[in-house]
Amino acid sequence: MPNRLHLLALCLIVAPPAIAQTTPPAAHAPAPQDQVLFNSDKPPAAPKTHTAKSIDTPTDAERNSLTFTGYDLDVHLTPAQSQISVRAKLKIRNTGNEPLTRLALQLSSSLNWGSFGMRSGDRIVPLAFAQHAVDTDTDHTGQAKEALVTLPQPLAPGAGIELTAFYLGEIQKSGKRLERIGAPADRALAADWDQIAPDGTSLRGFGNVLWYPTASAPVFLGDGAKLFQLVGQTRLRQSAATIQLRLTVEYTGHAPDAVYFCGERKPLAVVSGSAGLEAAALSGVATAEFPAHPLGFRTPSLFITSGAPNDAAGGLISAVTDRPDTLPSYGAAAVLVEPLLKEWLGAEPLTPLHIIDHDGQPFEDDALLVAPMHAVDADTLAPALVHSLAHAWFRSSHVWLDEGVPQFLSLLWLEHSKGREAALLQLQQQVNTLALAEPAPPAGAGAGQQGQSLIEASDEIYYRTKAAAVLWMLRSVVGNDALKQALHNYRRTGQGDEDPKLFQHILEQGSHKDLSWLFDDWVYRDRGLPDLSIVNVTPRRLPQQGLKAASWLVAVEVRNDGDDAAEVPVTVRSGSLTTTERLRIAGRSSASIRVVFEGKPDEVIVNDGSVPEMGAMTHSKKLVIQTQ
């Protein structure tokens, strides 16, 4: 309690008087782009607009050279006025190729920078800066407020700096960036729902609302998938950063219940407040603290809820909702998929699945799901819920496992509920999209990197779709039992493993197989996808032995015109009778296998859809055998 009171006092001291006002300040006309809003080498008590003058706009190279390696955020919220004030300690590294004489840092255009400083010995030295508006769709307003901070000496490539920054302003719903590309206002607000409001605070971070300092070149929704690619690249680049939060919420009415920060829930503790009054007259201050921890592959998100959560399915689900009639459906769906999750991932979840019932575009951060809840039957909910519940069971510091395993479990659920053919059809449809993203290797290409390796993936098509396909392929190579045991054992090691090869080693120990060929081509590097074809099939009748039916020796040659190796099932069929052997084909080569078949063969099938390919994932050749 003393520490929380100290934090409260600190926030109240550093917060400017505007934070305590009962009515928001008058709105000002937006400043022209690339013009100074204020320029100061002495931190002001509150932002002021100085006479505008042109400034030297930073280059995209300058903006993209900054990588945040540490966030220490003291955040003060006043939801009744949609206001936020923050004192941030930032660790930033120059990951570019040139020295930087200034830093270009960005916030939402609805916020204002107040001051910057850097430590020099035992004191903080103020830094001169200017700020201006920049058009970009990394924020829901369609603009960012960019500060150009002048450094006392150039920041060399690879060097880091520690800054202290203060900023404040309002965050309300805004659909401006979507409206300017033609979206109706109501649909724009359904997608861009980030806000600070009395009934709840919802801030998703970079790519939605810049409520914390960021740095990037401008990017726009109308320019293909560049915004989503930038979000993924930023998550990957800053995944090793540390982040911590001290939060103070100044509330009116009933006290808020909890805060969800980076997917983790903590209750808000009331440190001061009025009592014995009508609800409308109540007021007070509540706090929460999240110690420093690795950021991981995410954008920092912040949600504050008013109501207490309700549990379902024996605690598997913890939901904050005003629609209690939806809980039985979610509980029943969780009970349906629970046996599959236990079988593949472990006896108990690591945490409940936290759901915030919110009418808007869904958002997910590991075991936190923000989405509208509906009272529908459990069978309808189960396919979507299995992915989210898998996050509650399984964690990894490597995104291809953290996201790929839940996607893989979704395929397993489809196989369980609809059959193997339905799961393979779904896998084929997903791989078709992946094949469009994977660059086709040039003729004669070798082992060069073509796309994104899974351990360095930043696009969802790789760390979800391809990762799930690789796990499905591993299942066919090592078998169900070995893969299940590997997932169980990996989970016991904890989510903070630093060795990207740990999962491979665990799987090899359990399966007693050398899987380096598969992990090298499919996980640690990206060599595209295999491109298989049946080159030749040669059936030969074997001499009959006694009264036993005649057997055939079927030689099958398969060509792989892709760069990565593939191990596929080769099946010889006659009616309902089949014999299957596995064949591994290295990249840019051919391989053959001989299959002994009891009976007269009439078809050969290479790959049953379990191994992703650049084109079709199943190849067949009918056999016409003339009998004497």
Side-chain angles (χ1 to χ4, degrees), residues 428 529-537 556-562 566 568-573 585 603-623:
Q428 173 74 74
L529 294 173
D531 187 5
L532 304 181
S533 59
I534 300 175
V535 176
N536 190 36
V537 177
V556 182
E557 182 182 2
V558 180
R559 174 71 186 174
N560 181 5
D561 287 315
V568 295
V570 177
T571 300
V572 179
R573 180 192 300 274
I585 315 102
E603 186 180 18
V604 170
I605 301 171
V606 173
N607 197 0
D608 60 355
S610 59
V611 177
E613 291 191 51
M614 187 60 72
M617 291 168 56
T618 302
H619 312 270
S620 65
K621 185 176 181 64
K622 295 289 186 180
L623 303 181

Side-chain angles (χ1 to χ4, degrees), residues 119-325:
R119 181 167 295 280
S120 177
D122 58 352
R123 65 191 186 95
I124 301 296
V125 177
L127 297 177
F129 73 99
Q131 60 179 310
H132 66 145
V134 177
D135 287 337
T136 180
D137 283 345
T138 56
D139 185 76
H140 60 174
T141 64
Q143 285 190 322
K145 192 67 61 63
E146 185 172 63
L148 304 179
V149 184
T150 302
L151 298 177
Q153 59 186 24
L155 185 65
I161 188 173
E162 296 187 19
L163 297 182
T164 298
F166 175 72
Y167 59 91
L168 76 167
E170 299 178 357
I171 298 180
Q172 299 178 343
K173 282 186 180 181
S174 174
K176 290 181 180 179
R177 66 173 178 176
L178 292 173
E179 290 176 26
R180 73 182 176 195
I181 59 173
D186 57 339
R187 293 190 179 182
L189 291 178
D192 281 349
W193 40 259
D194 304 85
Q195 65 174 342
I196 300 172
D199 58 347
T201 291
S202 306
L203 304 174
R204 288 174 289 180
F206 184 79
N208 290 291
V209 58
L210 305 183
W211 68 274
Y212 55 89
T214 66
S216 74
V219 65
F220 300 96
L221 284 168
D223 193 6
K226 288 186 177 180
L227 173 61
F228 307 105
Q229 292 169 351
L230 177 61
V231 170
Q233 292 161 4
T234 302
R235 287 177 172 180
L236 180 65
R237 189 172 71 250
Q238 298 184 170
S239 59
T242 59
I243 189 166
Q244 58 184 311
L245 171 72
R246 288 171 292 277
L247 175 68
T248 301
V249 181
E250 187 178 338
Y251 66 87
T252 56
H254 292 295
D257 177 71
V259 55
Y260 299 79
F261 178 58
C262 292
E264 181 184 355
R265 179 187 184 275
K266 285 198 174 183
L268 280 161
V270 175
V271 295
S272 69
S274 53
L277 302 175
E278 295 293 330
L282 293 173
S283 64
V285 173
T287 66
E289 184 172 351
F290 293 80
H293 63 277
L295 177 59
F297 188 85
R298 60 160 51 88
T299 55
S301 61
L302 181 68
F303 296 87
I304 297 176
T305 54
S306 299
N310 297 287
D311 290 344
L316 291 180
I317 290 177
S318 176
V320 179
T321 179
D322 292 330
R323 294 177 276 201
D325 59 307

Side-chain angles (χ1 to χ4, degrees), residues 255-506:
D257 177 71
V259 55
Y260 299 79
F261 178 58
C262 292
E264 181 184 355
R265 179 187 184 275
K266 285 198 174 183
L268 280 161
V270 175
V271 295
S272 69
S274 53
L277 302 175
E278 295 293 330
L282 293 173
S283 64
V285 173
T287 66
E289 184 172 351
F290 293 80
H293 63 277
L295 177 59
F297 188 85
R298 60 160 51 88
T299 55
S301 61
L302 181 68
F303 296 87
I304 297 176
T305 54
S306 299
N310 297 287
D311 290 344
L316 291 180
I317 290 177
S318 176
V320 179
T321 179
D322 292 330
R323 294 177 276 201
D325 59 307
T326 64
L327 286 171
S329 298
Y330 282 77
V335 170
L336 274 180
V337 303
E338 182 182 11
L340 181 73
L341 294 167
K342 285 184 173 182
E343 178 185 359
W344 280 89
L345 301 179
E348 299 293 337
L350 301 172
T351 179
L353 171 61
H354 296 286
I355 302 178
I356 299 176
D357 187 2
H358 187 285
D359 288 327
Q361 188 180 71
F363 171 81
E364 179 186 79
D365 188 344
D366 276 337
L368 171 65
L369 176 64
V370 183
M373 296 179 66
H374 302 289
V376 297
D377 65 274
D379 289 332
T380 302
L381 274 176
L385 203 58
V386 67
H387 178 102
S388 298
L389 279 168
H391 277 301
W393 247 271
F394 184 89
R395 301 280 179 87
S396 174
S397 59
H398 303 293
V399 65
W400 81 273
L401 288 170
D402 194 59
E403 291 290 345
V405 168
Q407 196 80 354
F408 171 63
L409 264 292
S410 296
L411 289 171
L412 290 177
W413 174 255
L414 186 59
E415 181 184 55
H416 170 80
S417 57
K418 301 293 185 181
R420 180 174 173 81
E421 291 303 316
L424 288 175
L425 178 61
Q426 177 73 14
L427 179 62
Q428 173 74 74
Q429 292 171 346
Q430 293 175 355
V431 170
N432 287 344
T433 306
L434 172 64
L436 295 175
E438 288 277 23
Q449 182 84 6
Q450 297 295 325
Q452 296 179 21
S453 69
L454 290 187
I455 58 170
E456 295 181 348
S458 59
D459 286 354
E460 185 175 328
I461 193 67
Y462 291 96
Y463 64 71
R464 279 187 177 166
T465 301
K466 187 173 184 177
V470 168
L471 290 166
W472 188 277
M473 181 171 58
L474 278 168
R475 176 194 182 201
S476 66
V477 172
V478 303
N480 280 351
D481 291 342
L483 184 55
K484 288 176 189 176
Q485 193 59 49
L487 290 171
H488 284 228
N489 292 341
Y490 182 87
R491 193 179 86 141
R492 294 191 192 102
T493 66
Q495 68 186 72
D497 63 288
E498 296 181 359
D499 182 4
K501 295 188 176 183
L502 177 62
F503 183 68
Q504 175 193 342
H505 296 156
I506 291 175

Side-chain angles (χ1 to χ4, degrees), residues 90-112:
L90 308 171
K91 294 181 179 179
I92 304 172
R93 179 177 294 118
N94 178 3
T95 51
N97 298 320
E98 300 292 335
L100 297 174
T101 59
R102 60 183 180 175
L103 306 180
L105 307 179
Q106 297 166 357
L107 291 169
S108 174
S109 65
S110 64
L111 304 178
N112 284 297

